[in-house]
Amino acid sequence: TPSFGYGCLLNCSYCYMKRHSSKGVTIAGNHETILQEIDRHAMFYADAKKPNQTHEFFTSYDISCNEDFALHAKFHDWPRIFEFFRDHDSAMGSFATKIVPTKFLEFNPEGKIRIRFSLMPQRMSSIVEPNTAPIADRIAAIDEFIAAGYDVHVNFSPIILYQGWKEDYIDLFQQLDAGVSDNNKEIVKAECIMLTHEENKHNFNVENNIPGEEYLWNPTLQEPKTSQYGGSNVRYKRPLKRDAISQFKQMMHAEIPWCTIRYIF
């Protein structure tokens, strides 16, 4: 993905970026070159069939896969980046965030920038993603950002299994149902990703007393997984994960049937 930064200034216990960059963030100094490459790719190499799970018409580019772009916006020429996608014939930008970047409300991307607000039950968020925006604030921002011209989705990630997780997610879905206006409910779609945790990050958390590790590293529920980059990870055991995904989908359908799942794994 064409990221404009690498690393994160937050300290979420599960952060996959912290596996590779435990402190700070590196900001790209060649924004224009990156945009030129996105343009070249969109014009000559993007051959994704449409419609698909990312968008009906446009090719979406995740500009925040290696950072929280919104959190680090002051380091980026974000209006120029947003203008590029707003004016492009076939490309749109997309990013997930755990904050509410109110500065972005001053810009109308005309639907060509997708912001994906990461959501999890507040009880767990308070433990594993400290110093991020309250979940209620992220939900409250959805209507605001749609009104400002953004394409807004939600990102249920990571989905962590713990005692009471189903009850907490039902409550979260009900909060989302109450917080999004009826006129916008067909717009808001979801991506859902079950927890994967990495061994080096686990060891780092333990050595540095990072909270929440008892929820993230539980060998009785998890099995080894080697990532495509060679990392030693754990994920939920396949029968457990299969059942949890089925239950998660059923709860979503019961509480927020209007929220289409783009993908879940």
Side-chain angles (χ1 to χ4, degrees), residues 1-8 15-18 20-21 24-26 62-69 72 229:
T1 76
S3 294
F4 294 87
Y6 189 87
C8 191
C15 178
Y16 74 90
M17 273 308 303
K18 297 287 186 180
H20 312 293
S21 179
V25 59
T26 300
D62 192 333
I63 62 174
S64 187
C65 190
N66 295 323
E67 62 159 337
D68 189 322
F69 182 91
H72 306 141
Y229 301 109

Side-chain angles (χ1 to χ4, degrees), residues 173-192:
F173 296 152
Q174 291 174 349
Q175 291 178 57
L176 187 62
D177 189 52
V180 178
S181 68
D182 290 341
N183 291 337
N184 290 333
K185 284 179 176 175
E186 291 300 318
I187 298 171
V188 182
K189 299 180 181 180
E191 57 187 17
C192 313

Side-chain angles (χ1 to χ4, degrees), residues 57-210:
F57 311 110
F58 301 120
T59 301
S60 61
Y61 291 85
D62 192 333
I63 62 174
S64 187
C65 190
N66 295 323
E67 62 159 337
D68 189 322
F69 182 91
L71 176 70
H72 306 141
K74 66 181 180 180
F75 302 121
H76 299 304
D77 186 5
W78 67 266
R80 165 67 185 122
I81 295 169
F82 284 13
E83 287 171 0
F84 167 85
F85 286 109
R86 181 196 63 195
D87 299 337
H88 201 281
D89 289 337
S90 60
M92 70 177 293
S94 178
F95 61 89
T97 185
K98 301 179 188 72
I99 69 164
V100 178
T102 54
K103 188 72 174 176
F104 290 174
L105 293 172
E106 301 172 5
F107 186 97
N108 181 358
E110 300 175 11
K112 296 293 295 300
I113 294 288
R114 173 180 294 158
I115 181 169
R116 300 166 358 246
F117 286 108
S118 295
L119 300 179
M120 68 168 59
Q122 183 62 62
R123 178 157 71 104
M124 185 57 61
S125 175
S126 297
I127 298 170
V128 300
E129 47 181 39
N131 303 317
T132 60
I135 297 299
D137 289 356
R138 302 182 210 180
I139 293 174
I142 291 174
D143 280 350
E144 286 186 280
F145 275 81
I146 291 175
Y150 289 84
D151 183 36
V152 182
H153 287 185
V154 291
N155 175 19
F156 295 113
S157 171
I159 301 168
I160 301 170
L161 305 184
Y162 56 91
Q163 189 70 33
W165 72 273
K166 288 181 283 189
E167 292 80 3
D168 284 354
Y169 269 98
I170 289 173
D171 182 63
L172 175 62
F173 296 152
Q174 291 174 349
Q175 291 178 57
L176 187 62
D177 189 52
V180 178
S181 68
D182 290 341
N183 291 337
N184 290 333
K185 284 179 176 175
E186 291 300 318
I187 298 171
V188 182
K189 299 180 181 180
E191 57 187 17
C192 313
I193 306 172
M194 304 290 288
L195 170 72
T196 298
H197 199 36
E198 199 259 349
E199 185 175 9
N200 290 333
K201 177 58 174 160
H202 163 65
N203 293 333
F204 178 87
N205 288 354
V206 172
E207 292 167 4
N208 292 274
N209 298 313
I210 305 297

